[in-house]
Amino acid sequence: MTVQQLKPAEIRHEALRIAGEKVYRDEVIEVTYPYTGEVVATVPKATLEDVRRAYRIARDYKPTLTRYERYRILMRAGEIIASRLDEISRLITLESGLSRKDTLYEVGRASDVLLFAANQALVDDGQVFSCDLTHHGKSRKVYTTKEPLLGVITAITPFNHPLNQVIHKVAPAVATNNRMVLKPSEKTPLSAYVLADILYEAGLPPEMLSIVTGDPREIADEMLTHPDVDLVTFTGGVAIGKYIAGKSVYKRQILELGGNDPIIVMEDADVEEAATLAASGSYKNSGQRCTAVKRMLVHEKVADQFVELLVAKTQALKYGDPMDPHTDMGTVIDEPAARHFEQVVDEAIAGGARLLAGHVRRGALYAPTVLDQVRPEMTVVKHETFGPVSPVIRFKDIDEAIRISNGTAYGLSSSVCTNRLDYITRFVRELNVGSVNVREVPGYRLELTPFGGIKDSGLGYKEGVQEAMKSFCNTKTYSLPW
Ligand code: NAD
C-alpha cells in the first residue's frame, strides 16, 4: 500500500516512552512524508516535567544486567529487527522520504550495530599493570575495571539516518549498563520509538531507556544542563554542536558534527572506479550523510574523462517515488532543504560553474546534480551542502589537492583514488580529517570501528560501537598486593 492510500485512521499517534510508560500529550508535532507532504504521524511535545521525570527515574535506577544478559537483549533486539525489516524500512521511508533501497540498507546496518554491541558486551577490556617496573617499584599490581556512568546519558540525534543514528547511541549504552534519555530529531522521530519498544520486548529494563520528543527550544536546555546528566552525546550540525559545547558545562561531550568530505582523484586513478565511488558517495541516502562525498577534487589530466563518466552515472540513477522498490534516490528531508540546494547551485552557476546534470526540483525532490569548474571559494563547496550535489573542482598537483581539501572548516573523512604509495602516504599524513579511505567512499567503515572527525566536525572523540562504549564508562583502578 502506498502512503496515498493511507486512511486518516492509519495516521500513527505516538506516545513518549518514559521508562517504557507510554505518555500522550495534547500538544503534538506532525510528521510528514516529504514526497507528498501528507501528515503520516504525530508525536507528543514533551513538557519540561516529562523530561525531568525521565531523568529522575533513570538516576534512581541502578542497572545490574550481567554481560551475558546484555548480550542476550541486544542479540534478541537484532532478531526482532530482522524479522520486521520490511515494516521498519517503510516507516523510515515515510518519515524521511529516503528510498526503500536506502532504508532497507539502513535497517541492515542497525542489525550490525546490535551484533557488534552484543559481542563487545562479552569482552572485558580490563588491564593489569605490574608495579615492579622501576627501581622504587613494588611487588603489587594495578587493575582497571570499567563502570557505567554514575549519572544519566543524554543523546540527541539528527534526521538523516533516523534509526542508525539512534541505535549507535542506544546499543553501546545498553552494552555498558548505562541509562539514557534520547531525543530523536523532530523531523524523523518515529523509528526511535519503534527501537525502544523492540528493546523493551527483548528484555531491557525500561528504566534504562526513555525517548522524548518535543520542541528543542522548550526541552533541549534541560537535557543539556540537568544535574543528573553526566554525558551528552550529540550527532548533528555544527551550529547546534557548538551551542551544546558552551551549554553543557562540566559534562562529558561527544559531538559528531557536519562534514564536507572530498573524493580526491589522482592522475593514475582507475577513473571508472573513481566515478562510481563519487556517484554512490554523493547520492546514497539522497546525499544526506555526514560522510557523503560533498566535493570532487579531480586531477586536470583525468578530469574530462571523470566528468563524462560521472554525468552518465548520475543520469542513470533512478530518482523519484521513494516507495517504488526500483527507485535509487528519494527526496531530501523537506522542501526548504531542496530550495537551499537550488539556491547554492544557482549561485555557483552565476559564478562560472557549469551545470552538466540535474538541478530540477519538485517539492522536496531534488535531482542528482553535477557541477563542473567549481572553485573552492564557492558556497556550494565552502560550506556543507547536505544533499545530492556533485561539485567538481579541478587541480594541478597533489599539493594543490591537499590545500583545497584542508581549506574548509570541516575535518570528518575523505576518499583518495590512487595506487601510488607516495601519494597515499602524503594523504594519510597531511589530510586534516578523522579518516582516509583509499579507493573507497569516505563513509566506508564497520559499525564497530572508530569513527569521527576533527576541526568543526568534532572534538576528536570517536564513535563506532567500541569507542562509544569506552566513552560511556568510567575507568576505575584498584591495586592489590599480588
Ligand atoms: P541539527 O543540528 O539541525 O539537529 C540535530 C538535533 O539537534 C535534532 O534532534 C534537533 O532537534 C536538536 N536540536 C535543535 N536545537 C537544539 C538545541 N538548542 N540544543 C540541543 N539540541 C538541539 O542537524 P540535522 O539537520 O538533523 O542533521 C544534519 C546535520 O547532522 C548535518 O550537518 C550532518 O553533517 C550532521 N551529521 C553528522 C554526523 C556525524 O557522525 N559526524 C552524522 C550524521 C549527520
Side-chain angles (χ1 to χ4, degrees):
M1 183 170 63
T2 68
V3 71
Q4 285 91 335
Q5 295 166 294
L6 280 175
K7 300 185 201 82
E10 286 171 296
I11 290 181
R12 217 181 157 99
H13 294 290
E14 272 297 353
L16 308 170
R17 303 292 191 279
I18 298 190
E21 184 195 334
K22 289 192 175 179
V23 177
Y24 292 90
R25 288 283 167 253
D26 291 340
E27 284 211 50
V28 296
I29 297 172
E30 292 184 337
V31 183
T32 52
Y33 179 40
Y35 185 58
T36 59
E38 286 166 280
V39 175
V40 292
T42 67
V43 294
K45 270 192 183 176
T47 63
L48 273 181
E49 184 44 37
D50 292 328
V51 174
R52 287 178 186 142
R53 192 159 78 86
Y55 283 106
R56 219 165 30 239
I57 296 172
R59 177 202 60 201
D60 290 344
Y61 184 77
K62 298 289 172 245
T64 55
L65 297 172
T66 65
R67 288 179 184 275
Y68 179 66
E69 286 166 339
R70 287 173 254 159
Y71 166 85
R72 286 293 307 147
I73 291 167
L74 291 163
M75 289 300 282
R76 178 80 192 109
E79 285 158 17
I80 300 172
I81 286 184
S83 71
R84 293 172 55 184
L85 172 74
D86 196 61
E87 171 210 335
I88 298 172
S89 143
R90 286 179 59 86
L91 186 74
I92 302 176
T93 291
L94 274 183
E95 63 184 337
S96 66
L98 294 170
S99 71
R100 291 297 305 281
K101 283 189 187 178
D102 281 335
T103 58
L104 284 167
Y105 175 71
E106 171 155 354
V107 182
R109 284 185 69 188
S111 296
D112 285 0
V113 176
L114 289 167
L115 175 73
F116 287 130
N119 282 293
Q120 285 300 117
L122 299 179
V123 178
D124 189 331
D125 58 356
Q127 291 175 288
V128 186
F129 298 84
S130 293
C131 297
D132 56 349
L133 303 183
T134 63
H135 68 279
H136 58 262
K138 283 188 176 179
S139 172
R140 298 178 63 81
K141 279 186 180 155
V142 173
Y143 299 78
T144 70
T145 186
K146 299 278 186 197
E147 296 184 334
L149 302 180
L150 291 178
V152 183
I153 299 176
T154 287
I156 301 178
T157 54
F159 71 78
N160 67 315
H161 281 298
L163 179 63
N164 203 45
Q165 298 292 359
V166 170
I167 214 159
H168 258 291
K169 304 204 182 296
V170 173
V174 173
T176 48
N177 250 343
N178 273 290
R179 293 94 76 221
M180 176 171 272
V181 177
L182 181 138
K183 188 194 83 57
S185 167
E186 58 280 13
K187 292 176 185 164
T188 56
L190 303 177
S191 25
Y193 285 123
V194 170
L195 176 65
D197 289 346
I198 288 173
L199 281 160
Y200 302 146
E201 185 187 335
L204 184 74
E207 296 87 346
M208 287 174 68
L209 178 66
S210 288
I211 308 284
V212 294
T213 41
D215 184 339
R217 288 166 301 187
E218 291 167 15
I219 60 171
D221 280 1
E222 189 67 19
M223 299 185 72
L224 302 177
T225 59
H226 194 287
D228 291 327
V229 173
D230 275 9
L231 181 147
V232 176
T233 173
F234 170 81
T235 301
V238 175
I240 294 171
K242 289 192 173 176
Y243 174 79
I244 292 172
K247 191 81 189 172
S248 275
V249 177
Y250 206 66
K251 300 187 189 296
R252 266 183 242 176
Q253 301 171 0
I254 301 165
L255 305 174
E256 297 292 346
L257 310 182
N260 199 354
D261 295 353
I263 185 169
I264 303 177
V265 183
M266 298 305 292
E267 74 279 14
D268 70 303
D270 174 340
V271 181
E272 167 69 36
E273 178 186 82
T276 302
L277 292 173
S280 77
S282 184
Y283 306 134
K284 208 167 167 49
N285 224 55
S286 302
Q288 302 166 124
R289 300 181 79 179
C290 52
T291 52
V293 169
K294 301 198 179 103
R295 297 177 290 158
M296 300 182 180
L297 277 49
V298 188
H299 195 287
E300 60 185 12
K301 282 197 183 138
V302 292
D304 286 344
Q305 189 193 352
F306 173 89
V307 167
E308 195 182 320
L309 288 165
L310 175 68
V311 169
K313 288 175 196 299
T314 301
Q315 286 168 341
L317 204 84
K318 189 167 164 10
Y319 78 100
D321 182 354
M323 286 292 174
D324 179 340
H326 303 294
T327 297
D328 297 306
M329 199 187 87
T331 68
V332 297
I333 189 63
D334 52 24
E335 187 169 334
R339 282 188 187 281
H340 172 70
F341 309 141
E342 217 174 19
Q343 183 201 322
V344 291
V345 169
D346 277 339
E347 191 187 311
I349 296 167
R354 286 183 56 211
L355 175 69
L356 299 180
H359 196 38
V360 179
R361 188 187 62 78
R362 182 164 58 79
L365 200 60
Y366 184 71
T369 295
V370 178
L371 279 178
D372 194 5
Q373 308 287 353
V374 172
R375 292 193 312 280
E377 66 276 13
M378 291 177 169
T379 309
V380 70
V381 285
K382 197 167 165 47
H383 300 289
E384 179 184 40
T385 299
F386 206 59
V389 180
S390 294
V392 177
I393 303 172
R394 295 169 181 236
F395 65 82
K396 285 189 174 46
D397 58 25
I398 187 166
D399 291 326
E400 191 182 7
I402 291 172
R403 197 169 56 247
I404 296 171
S405 180
N406 287 341
T408 75
Y410 303 86
L412 191 55
S413 187
S414 61
S415 160
V416 298
C417 296
T418 175
N419 284 315
R420 279 182 51 173
L421 199 54
D422 57 336
Y423 284 163
I424 293 170
T425 314
R426 282 201 61 190
F427 284 130
V428 172
R429 280 202 193 127
E430 295 179 41
L431 291 180
N432 298 329
V433 290
S435 309
V436 179
N437 287 328
V438 179
R439 297 177 53 190
E440 248 307 346
V441 290
Y444 180 78
R445 58 161 166 155
L446 293 184
E447 312 301 334
L448 180 67
T449 51
F451 166 79
I454 53 173
K455 297 165 70 182
D456 273 3
S457 298
L459 293 173
Y461 301 110
K462 299 267 184 180
E463 272 204 339
V465 166
Q466 208 172 57
E467 294 295 312
M469 284 175 66
K470 276 189 212 161
S471 53
F472 288 180
C473 287
N474 290 326
T475 302
K476 181 178 274 177
T477 65
Y478 56 97
S479 75
L480 300 175
W482 57 85

